Amino acid sequence: MPKKEGKLTKKKRRLKDRIRERQIRLQRTLEAHRLEIEKVQAEKRDKKRRFNIITLATCIFLVTITLFICITWQYTKPPSLAPQNQNESQQTPQSPSNAIYIWPNSVEPKTVPITKVKDNYYRLTANVTLPIIVLRDNIVIDGAGYFLKGDGTIGSRGIDISYRRNVTVVNFKIEGFDYGVFLNSTTNAVILHNEFANNYCGIWLTFSSQNNITLNNISKNKMYGIWLKNAKNNLIYKNTFTCHQNYTIYLGYSSFNIIQANNFSENTYAIFMFSSSNNTIAQNDIVNNFEGICLLQSTQNNVHENKIRKNNIGMDFDNSSNNTISRNNFIDNTRAVGIVNSINSWNDSSKNGNYWSDYNGADTNKDGIGDTPYVIDENNKDERPRITPYS
């Protein structure tokens, strides 16, 4: 019996040893697997960290480039081209060197084809290719039908009348500049009877007021026909705008401007407002554009007596409420009005509504007003739609 017990004891020990060895091997295998998983996870974290660093660097680079472009495009006052008084304006300008300067007492270079007809009246006698920088107030510059033609240089300005007052620009044909006529902090200027074509922007206004833009032909400019920012109390009257692939008239942060009796055709956006208020859009003929009038985050504007016809979208409102739209003719637009998060008034204080060519309501009492509202959406309806167009 003792011998048998000894053999069994040895067998049990060998079994325990094998089990222990297996446990050790299994433990080692699990530890190696754990280390492999941690290695893979660490590699993933490193890849994600590198990706985030690259993404952040790319974003910083793009933001830097964007800021550089914006700063380059945004006009900054040249110390020698924006005199505070007539004595300062006698200084020799630093840049640009290749330009025509109209000083209080002279025109330079003296060889350019500009004649001083009388003390405050200058007239071109031939086509010119140099930009004109005006350093005098209370004058008329008459292009006499000649061309002022640029070469498309970035930042170039056909006629720069910044920081000036009472300057009239008349009878020019301006093309090939970034800005046909450039107004910054300009007052009481008159831009009259000119042609603007193939510029980046026909007329550029910023921080300018009491200016009059009348009877101009503005076409085929690459980005804007007229651009206004922080501009007040300007009049845009009886101009013709055609074939702009982007914005025809753009108003940003601008108020109390009047856009009246203009003709818009074959443009993408005829009139576009961003964050602008208390402007008047009246008596314009807006035909065959992609969008006639577009308001984005703009309030308290008055739109009346316009012919809005044959556009893809007659009017478009995006987060733009408390505007008044009355006495307009909406005729044969693919979509008369687009509305996003906006509530507006479609009748004026005298309860005049608008004419809608797709209105199907009746007029049983023959008073010229539809018996039922013209419904645009649940928050916008013309309560007194007109049965026949306004004349």
Side-chain angles (χ1 to χ4, degrees):
M1 291 297 295
K3 290 183 179 180
K4 287 185 179 180
E5 288 178 357
K7 289 181 181 179
L8 288 173
T9 302
K10 288 181 181 179
K11 285 183 179 180
K12 287 181 179 180
R13 286 177 180 173
R14 286 198 295 271
L15 180 61
K16 287 181 179 180
D17 290 339
R18 287 198 297 271
I19 291 172
R20 189 180 299 110
E21 288 174 358
R22 287 179 183 177
Q23 288 176 340
I24 292 171
R25 286 199 299 272
L26 179 60
Q27 205 167 20
R28 288 175 179 174
T29 302
L30 291 173
E31 181 66 15
H33 183 62
R34 183 183 65 79
L35 293 173
E36 183 65 22
I37 290 174
E38 289 180 354
K39 181 181 178 181
V40 171
Q41 289 176 341
E43 288 176 352
K44 286 182 178 180
R45 285 195 298 270
D46 288 340
K47 287 182 180 179
K48 187 174 181 180
R49 190 180 298 111
R50 287 196 297 271
F51 175 79
N52 291 337
I53 291 171
I54 293 170
T55 302
L56 179 61
T58 303
C59 291
I60 292 172
F61 175 77
L62 292 175
V63 169
T64 303
I65 292 296
T66 302
L67 288 173
F68 173 77
I69 293 172
C70 291
I71 291 170
T72 301
W73 283 356
Q74 178 63 41
Y75 179 80
T76 56
K77 178 179 175 181
S80 60
L81 298 185
Q84 298 300 313
N85 54 56
Q86 296 294 331
N87 292 328
E88 284 185 31
S89 69
Q90 300 300 324
Q91 300 173 10
T92 302
Q94 300 298 314
S95 66
S97 59
N98 196 19
I100 297 169
Y101 298 89
I102 298 179
W103 299 96
N105 299 313
S106 64
V107 176
E108 295 180 359
K110 298 184 183 302
T111 55
V112 296
I114 297 180
T115 299
K116 188 175 181 181
V117 178
K118 51 186 178 181
D119 180 58
N120 64 344
Y121 197 101
Y122 299 81
R123 181 184 294 151
L124 262 64
T125 58
N127 297 329
V128 293
T129 58
L130 295 177
I132 299 172
I133 299 173
V134 180
L135 300 170
R136 182 182 177 185
D137 298 326
N138 306 307
I139 63 170
V140 175
I141 310 170
D142 186 352
Y146 288 106
F147 279 93
L148 173 58
K149 192 168 185 178
D151 59 4
T153 300
I154 294 176
S156 60
R157 302 164 190 168
I159 302 177
D160 189 339
I161 54 175
S162 298
Y163 304 98
R164 303 268 61 90
R165 61 181 182 274
N166 298 322
V167 174
T168 296
V169 176
V170 61
N171 294 329
F172 276 87
K173 296 178 180 178
I174 301 176
E175 62 178 61
F177 293 93
D178 255 11
Y179 314 102
V181 173
F182 193 96
L183 300 89
N184 182 9
S185 303
T186 303
T187 57
N188 297 108
V190 176
I191 313 300
L192 174 67
H193 214 289
N194 302 283
E195 295 181 15
F196 297 89
N198 300 309
N199 304 283
Y200 174 80
C201 174
I203 303 171
W204 181 279
L205 295 91
T206 182
F207 297 105
S208 297
S209 61
Q210 303 291 339
N211 300 291
N212 188 327
I213 301 172
T214 298
L215 292 172
N216 299 281
N217 191 337
I218 304 173
S219 66
K220 298 181 181 178
N221 297 286
K222 296 173 185 176
M223 190 67 183
Y224 308 99
I226 300 177
W227 185 93
L228 301 94
K229 183 178 179 182
N230 294 309
K232 294 183 178 181
N233 298 303
N234 299 285
L235 173 64
I236 301 173
Y237 181 66
K238 284 194 174 181
N239 303 279
T240 299
F241 299 90
T242 55
C243 299
H244 292 92
Q245 296 303 311
N246 291 289
Y247 302 97
T248 307
I249 295 180
Y250 178 95
L251 288 86
Y253 306 102
S254 297
S255 58
F256 300 102
N257 299 286
I258 298 174
I259 302 172
Q260 182 177 2
N262 302 280
N263 293 309
F264 300 86
S265 64
E266 306 297 333
N267 304 287
T268 300
Y269 297 99
I271 301 171
F272 188 98
M273 290 189 190
F274 172 70
S275 194
S276 295
S277 61
N278 296 291
N279 298 285
T280 298
I281 302 174
Q283 301 171 357
N284 300 282
D285 191 4
I286 304 171
V287 58
N288 285 325
N289 305 278
F290 177 74
E291 285 196 18
I293 303 171
C294 182
L295 279 70
L296 174 60
Q297 298 176 17
S298 296
T299 63
Q300 298 179 3
N301 297 286
N302 193 340
V303 181
H304 63 88
E305 299 179 43
N306 300 280
K307 295 178 183 177
I308 304 171
R309 52 197 180 94
K310 298 182 179 180
N311 305 283
N312 280 26
I313 302 174
M315 291 192 70
D316 198 7
F317 298 85
D318 189 341
N319 288 282
S320 296
S321 296
N322 300 317
N323 300 283
T324 300
I325 305 96
S326 66
R327 291 174 288 157
N328 302 284
N329 292 329
F330 291 87
I331 300 174
D332 297 335
N333 300 285
T334 304
R335 184 179 182 184
V337 180
I339 298 281
V340 176
N341 193 30
S342 305
I343 302 175
N344 294 290
S345 173
W346 299 88
N347 307 106
D348 62 16
S349 58
S350 300
K351 297 184 179 180
N352 294 298
N354 302 271
Y355 171 76
W356 310 87
S357 62
D358 58 346
Y359 176 69
N360 296 319
D363 178 21
T364 55
N365 62 359
K366 305 301 179 183
D367 64 351
I369 305 299
D371 296 339
T372 56
Y374 179 87
V375 177
I376 300 165
D377 68 5
E378 60 182 2
N379 296 315
N380 293 271
K381 60 183 67 176
D382 186 345
E383 299 287 352
R384 292 174 60 80
R386 190 177 171 93
I387 294 298
T388 57
Y390 288 92
S391 60

